Amino acid sequence: MSFNVERKEHNLAEFTITVEREVFEDALNKAYRRNAGRIRVPGFRAGKAPRKIIEKMYGSGFFYEDAVDMSFPKAYEQAVEESELETVERPDVKITEIGEDGYTFTANVHIRPEVTLGEYKGISAEKKAAVCTDEDIQADIERLLTRNARIETSEHPLENGDTIVMDFEGFVDGEAFEGGKGENYNLVIGSGRFIPGFEEQLIGKKTGESLDVSVTFPEKYHAENLAGKEAVFKVTVNETKMTVKPELDDEFVKDVSEFDTMDEFKEDVRKRILETRESEVESDFETAVIDKLLESFEAEIPEVMIEERLVSIMQDFGYRMSMQGIDVERYAQLTGMDIDTMREQQRPSAERQVKCDLAFRKVAELEGIEISDDEMNEEYAKLSESYRMDLEEVRRAIPEKTMKRDMMVMKGSKLVMDNAVVAAPAKKTKAPAKPKAEPKTDTKTEVKTNTEVKPKTTRKKKEASNNESGTDSN
């Protein structure tokens, strides 16, 4: 095998590769042995006709196609390896010359782009302090109360968070449309599951009421015949339900946690929130550092690399949706989008991920970082244990080249973050002090200022009896 390679613009390379007679002849014999049993030649039993006889009957190039398919991948891989170029897609292969002395083919393929980076050590970025307030703790507890709430039938007007059981039918230009009808359909007001503007018009309605809900379908709606159309839904409220949260007291704490008292429980909530906030702060800091690193990033990225990453992102999204019992198409319908729109929304993320990979690999190369066999084996063992797969299965699923590339990215990333510097927060400029106003003596103002502001009474408390023994949730 001999080859030459021409670097073209936009990170495209054209390989011209020649497979010599000896290699081609071996491939022809293999193609003959593979196909001989299916070829009928008068005077010979199946599979016994000599190759030369078959070629005389059907043409000298009868086995060429299969022989090329068998031999060109190895020739191409060898040429790429010797050229020390890293390809990022499957090649576009064309046979330019073929005969009994061998064949020549061209392989056009995009290669990993050259990357230029600025300073990657000592990148400075702000890191906020992890904070947990009493309001944060209360909000977390409220979510827990909501998860443990019960749903009860209500006679009160619908509010955000309530559930409506309804019959509905949609009409466009006075005609009912397919998929626009439902009976005894349960909908949580404020969930955003219906077309924008639909749920808001149900607020304040009671059981037994009927109404017309006017909406406009989004311009990019999954059903093209409805996209951008105005519609009227005739709705009947069959039942309304409200969420009744449990009382927040020591007994509730014992039921939902390992603690006996509210104080212990709240302290645990504080610790958990702080752990989450600290993780978020680290993530934000890392994002800020990478943003600064990418400010100096220069490379002409082949579109195929971004498209490949988009495919990976969408596959991962589809997998996560399937774990929740929803396929991507159904999710698109529920959100009023189509797959193409969802895909395009992920393009900036795909482009950023590709840039990060290229930048971190460049850092690893500039630092002379190498991946040893022991490190590779250790990483394969970790993945085998993590995914509960046989070690050899993992090795087959992730080729060594891919593993080494990913580990280079990880090491480059670690080096950048290990050398990052936490910047002091920017000092806020104090505004000039305003002259003190003369104290007002307005009676209304004085009354308002001195009046104790009472918390808004919730509907649940309105309905409760005069039992005052409940524990204060604050």
Side-chain angles (χ1 to χ4, degrees):
M1 185 275 300
S2 61
F3 77 95
N4 63 62
V5 59
E6 180 184 356
R7 297 280 294 269
K8 299 186 174 183
E9 60 181 5
H10 307 308
N11 291 300
L12 188 68
E14 182 177 79
F15 288 83
T16 302
I17 303 169
T18 297
V19 177
E20 287 82 1
R21 180 187 183 110
E22 183 179 347
V23 175
F24 189 43
E25 180 65 22
D26 182 60
L28 286 169
N29 285 327
K30 288 179 181 177
Y32 158 69
R33 288 193 293 272
R34 175 183 291 180
N35 294 288
R38 300 196 295 268
I39 302 170
R40 302 301 177 191
V41 178
F44 294 91
R45 285 181 295 138
K48 298 299 181 180
R51 179 183 139 198
K52 294 298 181 183
I53 297 295
I54 295 173
E55 289 175 336
K56 188 173 182 179
M57 280 189 65
Y58 295 100
S60 59
F62 184 74
F63 295 110
Y64 280 5
E65 184 176 350
D66 283 348
V68 168
D69 288 343
M70 289 179 182
S71 57
F72 97 82
K74 185 176 181 180
Y76 169 72
E77 289 172 11
Q78 185 179 341
V80 170
E81 185 174 347
E82 291 181 16
S83 72
E84 297 184 348
L85 295 176
E86 182 180 334
T87 61
V88 296
E89 63 176 338
R90 292 181 180 274
D92 178 20
V93 174
K94 292 181 180 177
I95 305 298
T96 58
E97 187 178 344
I98 190 166
E100 61 182 16
D101 291 332
Y103 65 94
T104 299
F105 68 96
T106 61
N108 284 278
V109 63
H110 281 97
I111 58 176
R112 182 165 70 101
E114 289 293 331
V115 174
T116 302
L117 275 182
E119 186 55 59
Y120 54 85
K121 288 183 178 179
I123 296 175
S124 176
E126 286 188 27
K127 181 189 286 189
K128 296 178 181 178
V131 177
C132 174
T133 65
D134 290 341
E135 289 76 13
D136 295 329
I137 295 172
Q138 189 59 38
D140 191 84
I141 292 174
E142 283 297 324
R143 286 190 288 271
L144 179 63
L145 290 171
T146 299
R147 287 198 299 271
N148 287 272
R150 65 184 186 276
I151 306 298
E152 293 183 353
T153 299
S154 168
E155 298 301 324
H156 291 272
L158 280 165
E159 293 182 3
N160 255 331
D162 289 348
T163 298
I164 180 176
V165 183
M166 62 179 173
D167 295 341
F168 64 88
E169 186 170 15
F171 298 83
V172 171
D173 297 330
E175 297 289 332
F177 56 86
E178 186 178 354
K181 185 176 182 179
E183 294 181 353
N184 288 322
Y185 188 93
N186 283 260
L187 175 67
V188 178
I189 305 300
S191 64
R193 289 170 56 189
F194 268 47
I195 302 162
F198 186 97
E199 296 171 25
E200 292 84 345
Q201 296 178 56
L202 301 176
I203 292 175
K205 304 305 176 185
K206 294 182 179 180
T207 300
E209 287 192 46
S210 296
L211 69 151
D212 289 349
V213 175
S214 299
V215 296
T216 301
F217 282 96
E219 291 293 336
K220 292 185 178 180
Y221 193 64
H222 66 275
E224 293 183 4
N225 62 311
L226 298 176
K229 297 285 184 68
E230 294 182 357
V232 174
F233 284 84
K234 294 189 177 298
V235 178
T236 299
V237 184
N238 296 334
E239 185 181 3
T240 61
K241 302 176 182 179
M242 63 180 292
T243 301
V244 180
K245 297 178 182 179
E247 290 291 341
L248 182 60
D249 52 24
D250 288 348
E251 290 305 312
F252 174 75
V253 168
K254 291 176 184 178
D255 287 341
V256 299
S257 74
E258 60 190 83
F259 303 102
D260 294 325
T261 67
M262 277 296 303
D263 289 342
E264 292 175 318
F265 179 63
K266 284 186 176 181
E267 182 57 30
D268 181 67
V269 171
R270 183 186 297 278
K271 288 179 181 178
R272 286 190 288 105
I273 291 176
L274 272 176
E275 287 176 2
T276 301
R277 293 285 166 82
E278 285 166 359
S279 177
E280 291 171 350
V281 163
E282 287 298 327
S283 178
D284 290 345
F285 177 66
E286 182 175 339
T287 298
V289 170
I290 293 173
D291 284 343
K292 289 195 174 184
L293 175 70
L294 294 183
E295 286 176 5
S296 65
F297 175 93
E298 291 182 13
E300 187 178 6
I301 302 174
E303 182 63 23
V304 65
M305 295 183 72
I306 298 172
E307 286 294 324
E308 186 180 78
R309 189 58 60 95
L310 264 176
V311 170
S312 177
I313 289 173
M314 291 302 294
Q315 286 177 342
D316 181 63
F317 178 74
Y319 173 75
R320 285 186 283 113
M321 287 294 99
S322 68
M323 296 297 288
Q324 299 178 38
I326 305 173
D327 60 32
V328 177
E329 289 76 11
R330 178 59 177 160
Y331 178 84
Q333 291 177 357
L334 291 173
T335 56
M337 292 190 292
D338 55 38
I339 300 298
D340 290 339
T341 302
M342 290 172 57
R343 195 171 182 276
E344 283 308 302
Q345 286 183 344
Q346 296 300 321
R347 181 171 290 276
S349 177
E351 186 172 351
R352 179 183 170 86
Q353 288 181 26
V354 171
K355 285 182 177 180
C356 286
D357 283 2
L358 290 170
F360 292 139
R361 284 188 66 185
K362 184 65 175 180
V363 169
E365 290 169 4
L366 291 171
E367 291 292 318
I369 293 174
E370 295 183 354
I371 308 298
S372 68
D373 290 341
D374 287 344
E375 288 176 309
M376 292 266 286
N377 292 335
E378 185 179 344
E379 192 63 24
Y380 274 121
K382 285 180 181 177
L383 290 174
S384 173
E385 183 178 352
S386 176
Y387 290 101
R388 298 180 181 178
M389 291 174 61
D390 181 75
L391 183 59
E392 290 308 311
E393 281 186 79
V394 178
R395 287 185 177 275
R396 285 193 295 270
I398 308 174
E400 286 192 4
K401 279 186 178 180
T402 302
M403 177 66 83
K404 184 169 290 189
R405 180 194 67 200
D406 292 347
M407 292 181 71
M408 289 279 280
V409 169
M410 287 189 289
K411 285 200 170 188
S413 172
K414 186 175 185 303
L415 187 143
V416 170
M417 295 310 303
D418 286 348
N419 286 275
V421 177
V422 177
K427 292 183 179 180
K428 294 182 179 180
T429 305
K430 289 186 177 180
K434 293 182 179 180
K436 291 183 179 179
E438 291 294 325
K440 296 182 179 180
T441 57
D442 183 271
T443 305
K444 292 182 180 178
T445 303
E446 290 177 351
V447 171
K448 183 176 180 181
T449 302
N450 293 307
T451 301
E452 180 183 357
V453 180
K454 296 183 179 180
K456 184 178 178 181
T457 306
T458 63
R459 190 166 68 194
K460 177 184 170 185
K461 290 184 178 179
K462 289 179 184 178
E463 295 171 355
S465 65
N466 292 326
N467 180 4
E468 298 293 332
S469 61
T471 303
D472 188 349
S473 62
N474 293 317

